[in-house]
Amino acid sequence: MRWWRRNGEVALFVASTALLMVGAVGWLLGSTTTATLAWIMGAVVGLVVAVAQLAAAIRQGRFSVDVIAVLALAGALVVGEPFAGAMITVMLASGQLLEARADARARRELSLLVGRAPRTARRAVASGFEQVPVDEVAVGDHLLVGTGEIVAVDGRLITPGVFDESALTGEPLPVDRIAGDDVRSGVVNAGPPAELLTTASAADSTYAGVVRLVEQAQASSAPFVRVADRFAIVFVPLTLLVAGLAWLIGGDPVLAVAVLVVATPCPLLLAAPIAFMSGLSRAAAQGVIIKGGAALERLARGTVLLFDKTGTLTRGRPQVTDVVTAGEQWDPDEVLRLAACVDQVSPHVLASAIVTAGTRRGLTLTMPTDVVEEHGYGVRGRVGRQTVRLGKAAWVMGGSAPAWARQLRRRADLDGSLTVFIAVDDRPAGALVLQDELRPDAPRMIRQLRRAGIGRVVLITGDRADVADAVGRIVGVDSVLADRDPAGKLDIVEQESARAATIMVGDGINDAPALAAAGVGVALAARGSSASSEAADVVLTVDRIGVLGEAIGIARRSRRIALAAVLVGMGLSLIAMVVAAFGMLPPAAGAIAQEIIDLLAIGIALLAVLPGRPASPPLPAADIATAVALRAEHDAAKPVVEQIRAVADALSTHHPDLRPVHVLLDRLEADVIPHERADERLLVPLMDRALGMDAGAAISRTHAEIEHQVSRLRRLVDELAPDAPGPEDGVQPEDGVQPEDGVQPEDVVQPEDVVELRRLLYGLYAILRLHNVQEEESVFSLVPAGAPAGGPTAPRPAGMPAASSPDPGGSVPAAPAR
């Protein structure tokens, strides 16, 4: 029985085809007895299978087209048309085989999900800690969780710890927990060994509950109604009516059999699976694995899209977004280099992000020595002759934090960012800001999906409401639902599914129940959990959310082609039914005619193999090289952009000092302006070619505005007489300088001058930040994921000047940023 379930469709196709061919050979050789016997056997095999399928449909309460096949096969045997019966069997077997290949959904087993759950725990005994099966852990036991281990059961911390809770909350940043905090099973200890008292057994803990939610959601999934069964509601009664009238009026049962033969719904059973299977192939070529034709059709019908935030709309891993220095004596690149050097040997979850940031800036990293990890606080080590500390502000700086550090922490809290502070030789040097950034292709993907027919987009996340609202506003969702645990996400999916066809997108274990309950679950598996991939119907194997829009487009196109093939095939079958009812198409000829109709329907269905019109046309190789090189310049200019706000923040109306402004202007004119001009010459035409004429008009206007604002800033600074006495000369505006002192009042920078400078700087900063995001979203997101990353060695297109290297000695004080 198990073998038949796995190979039944293949066996039926081979047997039916073999019996038809044996009969054909016997007929050609003049052995009518052999031919008749073989064809009868083929018809009987088909009849048995069709009856079994019809019975199964009746038990499931479905109105199936299999009733036509049963009547056609039985009628062919009764009226002595075994060849027609054998042909019908081959058609049915072909349809079942194709449908099995197209609709075979991957089993959504929990093996990987359950496999992640710890089997043992370390429980305290008189002699220390012993390893025991997790099922033996009782409430109140004292457990030890080592670094990198998964918490086996829910408990309350005895010692503080740092935990990666992304498996349950989706939040990528580690969470500090103090003694007395509750910790849930399924989270990973990302810090030093921690001790806890259990508050639940393994069976009643959080992680076991997630497994149960997935099982329940899978069990409650409604069976999918095939295209053929939906057409059957109309087609079956019509076929029986025509066959009955033909018999009644013509007085010959052969007429009824002929009608039933040409009415055999093979275009339904063949064309739709072929179109869906072709769509599956097209999607797979884009890096999207759709688990069967049923999942593809549900994906095409979806109108409500639900997203998790972390790892789907955002990148799912923290990245260094800013380097803040403690004063103008510190170079941002040097601060980052020292931190990255030490973090090369650190096991901390943020270390890889810091090292990656250093390598992407082209900094030379050396191996540190005397590295000591202070779990829960930070890491220290020596880089050359310098002692470097990085970690929490209190541990790195000691005592009270300076004003710049307090301001940075406030801004980071508002932005949902993380800060890592750095000290060199026991002197505060700066801090790194890390954030889980939005995917640049996410807003474009949402717009594409709305144009494709998605009517409602909902963001569901376990993250804070303020962070989730910010992401929701940027990508353009209709509703944001924050602070939701796995059970809360499941409830929302069930509520939305009750009103419309839903598509749920996620990437973590915490999303698995919602993925299983949705009409279609979509998992990002490039870096996501195995559990979400198991629970999902669609798996994105590339780390690019934009392919989801392409997958939905492929699904909708495949469904349209399948319907077209079905309508053409069934329309021709209706004409053949009328011809057969008048006695002009006997059963044997009708079976052959039906095969011709089938081939035509299959030909239409195969159109789904051909590529449709892409939502975002692929870039030519030359344009990809240009975009990669420009992206390298784009990234290299980002530190200069961040320094604009730093300079504005540092300007004082009481002690104005324009030297940092001069340094900044030099870098803007040497680095940013040449890059924007190169963008105007190369990037804007590229956008017009890729996205249509005038697609780069807004970007072009921004280029002009940036250069205009830098020019205004230069004129203002020059007008403020940079050689006039300043604070370094002991002259202040409030000193009441008199003409007899040899210094005219207009030669001193006045408070209103500082206000105007700040206004220009903040305005320029806002324009550049928005402009950078627009470029990343509109054109850089079109670059394929496999294209080489921009960097110091990225190819430079002809006609693009090299931006000047930042002057290490000309750094300006960096202010807190995102």
Side-chain angles (χ1 to χ4, degrees), residues 138-162:
V139 176
D141 281 350
H142 181 181
L143 300 184
L144 175 69
V145 183
T147 302
E149 293 181 354
I150 299 173
V151 176
V153 296
D154 294 353
R156 184 172 296 109
L157 288 173
I158 300 173
T159 60
V162 181

Side-chain angles (χ1 to χ4, degrees), residues 162-176 188 190 308-319 348-353 415-418 434-439 461-464 467-468 471 489 507-508 510-511 527:
V162 181
F163 297 91
D164 175 4
E165 300 185 353
S166 59
L168 296 180
T169 67
E171 176 54 50
L173 302 179
V175 178
D176 290 319
V188 179
D308 175 49
K309 179 184 74 71
T310 304
T312 52
L313 295 178
T314 65
R315 297 184 184 275
R317 56 182 182 271
Q319 294 180 310
H348 196 276
V349 292
L350 297 180
S352 61
D415 289 338
S417 304
L418 195 68
L434 296 97
Q435 190 173 43
D436 183 19
E437 291 189 312
L438 186 72
R439 293 178 183 268
T461 178
D463 209 346
R464 289 164 23 197
V467 176
V471 172
K489 292 183 178 181
D507 78 324
N510 61 310
D511 301 318
R527 292 179 296 103

